[in-house]
Amino acid sequence: MDRVIGIDLGTTNSCVAIVEGGIPKVIPNKGGYKTTPSIVAISDSGRRLVGQMAKRQAITNARHTVYAAKRLIGRKWGSPAVLHSLETCPYQIVEGPHDDVRIKLRDKAYSLPEISSIILQEMKLIAEEYIGEEVTQAVVTVPAYFNDGQRQATKDAGRVSGLDVLRIINEPTAAALAYGYGRDDLEARVAIYDLGGGTFDISVLEVHDAVFDVLSTGGDTFLGGEDFDARIIEWLVYEFAAENEVDLRHDDMALQRMKDAAEKAKCELSAVKDTEINLPFIYTKDDGEALHLQRTLVRDKLEELVEDLIQRTLKICDQTLQEAGLSVDDVDEVILVGGMTRMPRVQHCVQEFFGREPSKNVHPDEVVALGAAIQGHALMDEESDVLLLDVTPHNLGIGVYGGGFQVLIEKNSTVPTARSHIFTTVKDNQTSVKIIVLQGEGKQAKDNDLLGEFILHGLRQAPAGEVEVEITFEISADGIVSVSARDLETNLEQSITVTATSGLTEDEIEAMIEENEEYMVQVKHSEEMENQRANVRRTIRQVEKLMPTVQQVMENSTLGKDALRKAQDALERAKEALEGRNMEHLISTGEALNRTFAVFQGIVQRMQ
Ligand code: AMP
């Protein structure tokens, strides 16, 4: 059976898992950690750095280091999330060619799917190293509240990274899968409260006989730990300005240092009541005077700074329960997912809201990847009885004459699903009809996300209301939308896969795949070159160590002198090859020196 990995592509951290012998398991990275920072950087030599390596150099390379890219994926230029990020991120966010967003790193503007693809590729490599063979298939998770554009962009990212994304699944649903997997007797209504680095999701599911049936889902794709950190940064900036009359927000390096310190303080305050934030030499004044930032942050103050953010999550919980026609008493179990649920105030508020203590049986950082791996395994295993019935998080419909929005598939409908609707022309002799595909909860067309638009031409000329067009909307199990329209009289049909908000054309994706493959070949080549160099350096050291002893023996005969000269030649040639970039030359000179070393070893052994 082909191996399928499960990847939790998180805002702050990513995690990869696999099912082995029926047991889901998180795969640690090279450093032994089970999660990898979702950070990508480009070094001044043009090298891609990912994960811990990228995080380590973030302060000194803030402008070319991207974190929290997931908050921007699938977003339109000018949207509130993008405007907010423009103000707060030290990296350079620029407008893309399709009303989308790009990030400029060194001399290239990267699309968001490209950035995410670099993280996915790292997770793929972590899995391959562990399994010992190539992995090409994955299930990737997204926040339940992601819209079509964000889902498509994530799928595109998978393609660019060389992964066939078999299924996109929702993070809270994945968590429920991991929670209920193997517990055949579990029959419960479960609420998953998922507060991660960048997004908040709440899903309510009914679990019975290995069936995971999502009843309703809600969330906010711009509400997470990053916002908690931002509140601490704002507080630091304010306090520093009050004391020194200096605004630190325009200093990239200071911002990055404050961000690191804010997150660290926030995490520490989950365990202790107060913590020190100490950032020496944060600013140098024009007259050369160095300023330092030093503050004590107490847990109560942190809670005061973020209380409204926590309350926003509870409001969404309330609404989501209402949409499912449930009250808190109908929920049997509450599960906390996402790093932010380690914060005591978050735990307290969730417990108070649901009136029950959340379950402590899941690991908040790993459970989503485990669920993705379980789903991947189930997709390949025909005997698997795991059945996932997820829902679409948003209304889906079309813009109608006069600026209205006609909903065709309501939010919380189980996917996959399809719905058809017959529309009639509104003007006499109307020969074409424009279909505007929208997603969202707004009453008017303008209040929803535009997924795409297409035109059906060649309608029969007739009085208004006579020509009928049937429009069919389909949402796949991934939550991805496709739409088709058919003139019922001529049977003329057109379909689109909605691509507007992902911002990438098919040609661009193909070009990115090619570029990525070329980059990987180069990386592999330079890694091999480094390995070969290390081998040759080692052999040089070994030969040089034995040289004085061997010289004593060989210098006494003509034959020996000749052999010695050859050995010295081999040594010189290997040293020369080390300076160059020719791999074959390096390998052949290395092999020649290895033979010399073998001869030297033989001589030395005979002397002993
Ligand atoms: P996730 O997206 O699930 O990896 O969650 C990452 C978020 O959880 C980040 O904002 C982290 O700062 C936050 N986080 C991780 N550990 C803790 C902790 N002990 N206390 C508070 N927040 C935490």
Side-chain angles (χ1 to χ4, degrees):
M1 194 162 70
D2 287 342
R3 300 286 205 131
V4 184
I5 52 173
I7 302 177
D8 169 10
L9 178 62
T11 309
T12 319
N13 295 300
S14 293
C15 183
V16 57
I18 192 163
V19 174
E20 270 187 333
I23 298 169
K25 180 180 173 186
V26 168
I27 304 176
N29 61 21
K30 265 193 208 154
Y33 297 102
K34 291 189 170 177
T35 61
T36 299
S38 303
I39 303 179
V40 172
I42 304 292
S43 72
D44 50 10
S45 65
R47 254 194 80 173
R48 284 180 192 173
L49 304 170
V50 198
Q52 204 59 49
M53 287 238 280
K55 188 168 186 173
R56 239 178 266 135
Q57 53 83 72
I59 289 173
T60 51
N61 184 25
R63 206 150 178 73
H64 304 288
T65 303
V66 192
Y67 58 85
K70 188 174 165 183
R71 298 191 118 195
L72 294 171
I73 200 164
R75 305 242 183 215
K76 283 191 174 166
W77 180 253
S79 63
V82 174
L83 295 178
H84 180 273
S85 301
L86 272 170
E87 264 184 31
T88 52
C89 293
Y91 50 84
Q92 217 183 332
I93 302 170
V94 296
E95 188 173 359
H98 319 291
D99 213 15
D100 62 334
V101 177
R102 306 266 155 137
I103 294 173
K104 185 125 191 278
L105 300 174
R106 304 293 165 189
D107 52 2
K108 186 181 158 188
Y110 289 79
S111 70
L112 269 303
E114 248 175 319
I115 301 284
S116 294
S117 78
I118 296 173
I119 301 165
L120 286 176
Q121 191 159 44
E122 181 70 11
M123 305 320 287
K124 177 178 184 289
L125 291 172
I126 290 171
E128 286 173 346
E129 188 133 311
Y130 173 81
I131 298 169
E133 58 188 56
E134 199 190 2
V135 176
T136 55
Q137 296 177 316
V139 168
V140 178
T141 60
V142 294
Y145 218 56
F146 255 21
N147 68 18
D148 177 80
Q150 292 165 308
R151 285 167 196 270
Q152 292 230 24
T154 306
K155 220 167 175 180
D156 292 346
R159 276 182 68 193
V160 176
S161 74
L163 281 169
D164 179 11
V165 179
L166 298 182
R167 186 69 59 84
I168 296 270
I169 63 169
N170 294 328
E171 287 160 12
T173 316
L177 259 183
Y179 179 71
Y181 183 68
R183 294 171 59 188
D184 295 343
D185 55 333
L186 181 67
E187 210 172 309
R189 206 172 276 139
V190 183
I192 313 280
Y193 177 101
D194 179 359
L195 188 59
T199 55
F200 169 66
D201 278 329
I202 168 84
S203 288
V204 185
L205 296 95
E206 233 162 34
V207 184
H208 55 88
D209 306 320
V211 177
F212 296 78
D213 188 0
V214 181
L215 303 177
S216 69
T217 193
D220 186 332
T221 52
F222 214 79
L223 174 57
E226 291 282 327
D227 302 290
F228 287 60
D229 301 347
R231 290 291 169 83
I232 303 174
I233 297 171
E234 273 167 34
W235 174 73
L236 289 174
V237 166
Y238 176 84
E239 296 270 308
F240 193 80
E243 195 177 307
N244 302 294
E245 291 182 6
V246 170
D247 186 348
L248 288 176
R249 282 174 300 183
H250 307 298
D251 183 328
D252 288 345
M253 201 190 272
L255 255 184
Q256 186 62 45
R257 286 181 70 192
M258 283 190 291
K259 185 177 155 35
D260 276 3
E263 192 193 355
K264 194 164 158 269
K266 176 190 72 178
C267 293
E268 279 172 6
L269 288 176
S270 292
V272 295
K273 293 271 178 153
D274 55 79
T275 184
E276 282 290 311
I277 296 176
N278 200 346
L279 297 169
F281 301 97
I282 190 90
Y283 190 83
T284 310
K285 284 167 67 169
D286 290 342
D287 64 5
E289 187 196 347
L291 300 177
H292 317 293
L293 195 163
Q294 199 169 14
R295 279 278 170 284
T296 302
L297 181 59
V298 297
R299 193 188 278 178
D300 286 351
K301 180 69 189 174
L302 170 66
E303 292 179 352
E304 181 195 315
L305 291 172
V306 301
E307 184 62 20
D308 63 310
L309 300 175
I310 300 174
Q311 292 306 322
R312 259 168 69 192
T313 67
L314 299 180
K315 218 169 146 201
I316 298 170
C317 292
D318 194 34
Q319 202 179 326
T320 305
L321 281 174
Q322 274 185 36
E323 283 169 3
L326 300 173
S327 77
V328 286
D329 297 333
D330 297 318
V331 174
D332 304 312
E333 289 179 43
V334 179
I335 299 167
L336 297 180
V337 181
M340 274 314 304
T341 61
R342 290 207 182 85
M343 185 172 174
R345 179 73 192 157
V346 171
Q347 293 177 357
H348 174 81
C349 290
V350 174
Q351 178 165 344
E352 218 168 45
F353 176 86
F354 283 98
R356 69 182 61 246
E357 201 182 336
S359 163
K360 296 249 169 13
N361 290 345
V362 300
H363 193 299
D365 297 334
E366 298 171 12
V367 67
V368 172
L370 291 171
I374 292 167
Q375 174 67 357
H377 185 70
L379 289 174
M380 303 310 285
D381 180 6
E382 281 168 9
E383 286 173 18
S384 165
D385 54 359
V386 171
L387 178 63
L388 225 184
L389 300 170
D390 217 324
V391 298
T392 175
H394 300 289
N395 288 327
L396 185 77
I398 57 168
V400 290
Y401 199 63
F405 175 47
Q406 166 125 20
V407 175
L408 289 189
I409 298 179
E410 285 189 3
K411 72 175 287 192
N412 291 327
S413 302
T414 302
V415 290
T417 184
R419 246 7 85 95
S420 295
H421 195 89
I422 294 168
F423 290 82
T424 50
T425 47
V426 291
K427 288 185 194 156
D428 290 342
N429 299 323
Q430 184 177 344
T431 56
S432 66
V433 58
K434 188 174 180 185
I435 317 286
I436 301 168
V437 188
L438 300 162
Q439 194 170 38
E441 279 63 68
K443 292 228 166 355
Q444 297 296 307
K446 66 174 176 34
D447 300 326
N448 294 292
D449 286 332
L450 171 71
L451 298 193
E453 43 189 45
F454 68 114
I455 296 173
L456 185 71
H457 294 285
L459 300 182
R460 172 173 61 93
Q461 290 199 0
E466 257 188 32
V467 180
E468 293 181 321
V469 181
E470 183 187 61
I471 300 182
T472 304
F473 280 63
E474 280 184 73
I475 305 183
S476 68
D478 294 322
I480 289 177
V481 178
S482 60
V483 188
S484 60
R486 190 162 63 97
D487 176 344
L488 281 182
E489 195 182 85
T490 60
N491 253 348
L492 191 71
E493 192 160 340
Q494 279 191 21
S495 73
I496 51 164
T497 300
V498 187
T499 52
T501 42
S502 113
L504 292 181
T505 63
E506 187 55 31
D507 285 352
E508 280 176 316
I509 295 173
E510 296 282 342
M512 282 171 195
I513 293 173
E514 209 168 293
E515 198 180 313
N516 186 47
E517 282 170 0
E518 271 168 28
Y519 179 83
M520 288 316 285
V521 169
Q522 270 176 29
V523 168
K524 222 165 165 207
H525 183 268
S526 61
E527 270 173 10
E528 265 173 46
M529 191 81 190
E530 268 321 300
N531 284 343
Q532 288 299 339
R533 281 202 176 108
N535 286 341
V536 172
R537 269 192 216 105
R538 193 172 49 245
T539 318
I540 289 174
R541 275 197 307 276
Q542 288 167 328
V543 169
E544 283 182 335
K545 201 169 157 208
L546 297 184
M547 185 65 94
T549 318
V550 174
Q551 267 172 338
Q552 280 177 12
V553 182
M554 295 179 103
E555 264 176 355
N556 299 330
S557 72
T558 321
L559 220 61
K561 275 187 189 159
D562 197 34
L564 206 54
R565 204 175 39 252
K566 279 189 184 152
Q568 264 153 350
D569 274 357
L571 200 56
E572 287 313 311
R573 272 203 305 276
K575 284 182 180 173
E576 242 173 61
L578 266 186
E579 302 296 318
R581 307 184 125 261
N582 185 333
M583 173 104 82
E584 281 183 11
H585 184 52
L586 186 66
I587 292 174
S588 63
T589 51
E591 281 170 357
L593 195 61
N594 255 330
R595 287 194 291 276
T596 302
F597 177 57
V599 173
F600 276 26
Q601 267 186 320
I603 292 170
V604 173
Q605 269 164 13
R606 277 200 296 280
M607 287 172 66
Q608 283 166 352

